[in-house]
Structure formats: C-alpha cells, structure tokens
Amino acid sequence: MTQGPLISVVIPVYNGEEYVKSCLDNMFAQSYKNLEIIVVDDGSSDRSGQIALQYPVKLIRLDENRGLSAARNTGIDAASGTYIHFMDVDDGINLAYYQQMADAVMATQADIACGGMLNEKHSYKTWRFKKQVVYHTAKDKLKATFVGKWGYVWRYLFRLDFLKEQSLRFEEGRFIEDLTFSLPAVFYAKSIVVVPGAEYIYYHRENSIMSKKEKAHREKRRLDWSHAKAFRKEFAREHNLKIPGIDTGRFAYLLRKVFR
C-alpha cells in the first residue's frame, strides 16, 4: 500500500494528565500511520508533558499558559505535514479516522475534508455523512458543514498550505475561537469533501473551557461568544451570505433538535 501524505495532528494540553495517555493511545492505534503528532503543553503544572514524552511525539512546551488559540497557532508553525488536524486531548476519533479523511482528500484534491461528529451529551448535535460529496460553491459548503452554527475546528482536516495562503490563525485571548477560524476557512476553500465513516467523538467534561461555572469564566465566555456572533454577522454581510441555521434553515435545525 502506498503511503499517504503526512498529516500533522496538533494536540494542545493544559493540565490534562488524565487524558493524555488515552488520547495518544488513540493516535498510535490509527490505521493510518503517516502521522506527525505535535503535543503543545500550554504551561501545564501537572504531568501532561512527562506523559507525552513516553510516546514518539513532537512535544512543544510553552513557558506559561497562553490559551488554546496560542497553542494551536504554535502547532501550525511547527507542522510539516501536507494536511493538519486539530485534536482536543479529552476527545476521541474512530480508528480509521485519518485513513478515511486522507483517502477522501487524495481522491478529490479538496482543500478541506469534513468528517462526522458524535456528541456525547447533546445527541441532536451528532452529525454523520451518508456519502462522500465534494462541494464548491459558498452556499453548498456552508449548508453541508453547518459551519456557521457549529464552528468546531476539530471536524476538519485542512491542507496546511491553504491555511498559510489565507493567513488563517486562531484569535488569541478568546474562548470561542473555533467559529472565527472555521467559517472563513470553509468559505475560502476552493472545495470541501465530506467524509462518511470518519467520526470525531466529543465528550462532555466537567471544568472544560465550555463547562466551567466560575462567575468570571462564565462572563468571559459570554463576552467571547458575543464577539464570535458579531464576527459571523459581519463576515456574512461582507460576503453577502446567508448562514444555515442562523439566517436560513432555522426551522430544519429546530426539528433536528426535537426529533434526533
């Protein structure tokens, strides 16, 4: 079997020692072996980095906690793959994930591959693709991925040169950083392929960025979500877009929540 392109997998971790082993075991059990695993230790005070060093990974240690966006940007700068995927340390993927994503982008030469997602807590956010399809127009790309509603960056395998050509970076200092990255990426991509069978598993974790209950944290999350929504609105206005699930198709979205 001919070896496929190198895929860089960027895994930020901040005090996530309880998840590092299972995440890296998941990576090295993948059927696709041409992977560059980049673990960015974002100033952890626990054993996250030491555990990662037990595996053949590229470990980058930041001197202080700079946040998820900075860790992901560090990963972009360190990546040498043809494609790049952003993996959260406390989630999982099926064991054929990278093989299926790589097969799809190699066959179609798309800038981005989009896989399915399983949401542990909210089943209506589970999304699977039934067949492989390539989309080219902005309307079709936005509708197929639902990116304006669900910006989760880990759904995508990106061609690294495409991200660099578009100067796409994560906005540092924000909690809601995925939407402001994924929406422009999907819009600017010449084509996107959706991939059946490749599934990312999103687990609900206590004390994650999205679940912490401290008042100051909740207030920053609220402000950053308002910032992301304002970005989405302005981006849609600038490019004359209707965002599926927001500006159009809202009834279908609500039915999905009720009947899934």
Side-chain angles (χ1 to χ4, degrees):
M1 180 176 175
T2 303
Q3 188 178 50
L6 180 65
I7 296 175
S8 298
V9 183
V10 177
I11 309 174
V13 56
Y14 174 64
N15 290 345
E17 63 180 5
E18 63 185 301
Y19 306 118
V20 174
K21 184 180 186 302
S22 61
C23 180
L24 293 180
D25 284 345
N26 191 193
M27 295 298 102
F28 287 100
Q30 289 288 308
S31 59
Y32 191 85
K33 300 302 181 184
N34 198 16
L35 302 175
E36 175 187 50
I37 309 298
I38 303 171
V39 177
V40 183
D41 184 354
D42 186 21
S44 297
S45 58
D46 65 3
R47 296 181 60 253
S48 294
Q50 293 95 307
I51 296 170
L53 279 175
Q54 298 173 15
Y55 296 80
V57 302
K58 181 186 290 187
L59 176 64
I60 301 172
R61 281 186 159 124
L62 303 183
D63 292 336
E64 60 182 0
N65 178 229
R66 294 172 51 196
L68 184 57
S69 290
R72 285 173 171 170
N73 287 338
T74 299
I76 292 174
D77 294 336
S80 55
T82 303
Y83 296 94
I84 188 169
H85 178 239
F86 300 98
M87 181 78 201
D88 284 358
V89 72
D90 55 351
D91 291 334
I93 53 177
N94 65 301
L95 295 184
Y97 185 87
Y98 291 119
Q99 186 66 63
Q100 291 163 317
M101 296 287 263
D103 286 347
V105 293
M106 285 190 290
T108 63
Q109 295 299 300
D111 285 331
I112 301 174
C114 179
M117 60 179 181
L118 280 67
N119 191 298
E120 177 193 41
K121 185 176 182 180
H122 302 294
S123 62
Y124 68 90
K125 290 186 178 180
T126 288
W127 187 283
R128 293 182 173 97
F129 296 107
K130 295 181 179 179
K131 60 181 179 178
Q132 181 174 304
V133 182
V134 181
Y135 297 97
H136 299 275
T137 69
K139 180 180 178 181
D140 288 344
K141 289 181 294 180
L142 295 179
K143 184 177 180 181
T145 62
F146 230 52
V147 65
K149 187 71 177 180
W150 299 333
Y152 314 119
V153 71
W154 34 254
R155 300 173 64 200
Y156 304 102
L157 182 71
F158 301 95
R159 183 169 61 83
L160 182 58
D161 282 350
F162 160 72
L163 296 185
K164 293 180 177 179
E165 289 160 6
Q166 297 296 332
S167 300
L168 288 168
R169 307 281 288 182
F170 290 93
E171 187 177 7
E172 299 190 14
R174 300 282 184 183
F175 285 160
I176 315 295
E177 67 285 306
D178 282 28
L179 179 61
T180 57
F181 184 93
S182 298
L183 178 58
V186 168
F187 175 78
Y188 290 124
K190 291 179 181 177
S191 61
I192 289 179
V193 58
V194 298
V195 186
E199 295 182 342
Y200 187 101
I201 307 160
Y202 177 78
Y203 294 110
H204 176 77
R205 308 290 190 183
E206 294 297 330
N207 292 317
S208 71
I209 289 173
M210 298 307 295
S211 64
K212 282 185 179 178
K213 295 180 171 58
E214 290 89 345
K215 183 177 180 181
H217 187 94
R218 286 189 288 109
E219 178 62 14
K220 176 167 175 51
R221 192 167 61 224
R222 184 188 67 80
L223 291 173
D224 286 353
W225 179 226
S226 295
H227 170 79
K229 288 191 290 186
F231 172 89
R232 180 177 62 195
K233 183 177 181 179
E234 177 58 23
F235 191 87
R237 185 200 64 77
E238 180 182 351
H239 297 284
N240 194 29
L241 301 173
K242 290 188 180 296
I243 305 295
I246 304 298
D247 303 317
T248 183
R250 295 182 68 181
F251 183 66
Y253 175 76
L254 291 173
L255 286 177
R256 180 182 181 83
K257 291 179 70 171
V258 172
F259 292 108
R260 271 203 68 85

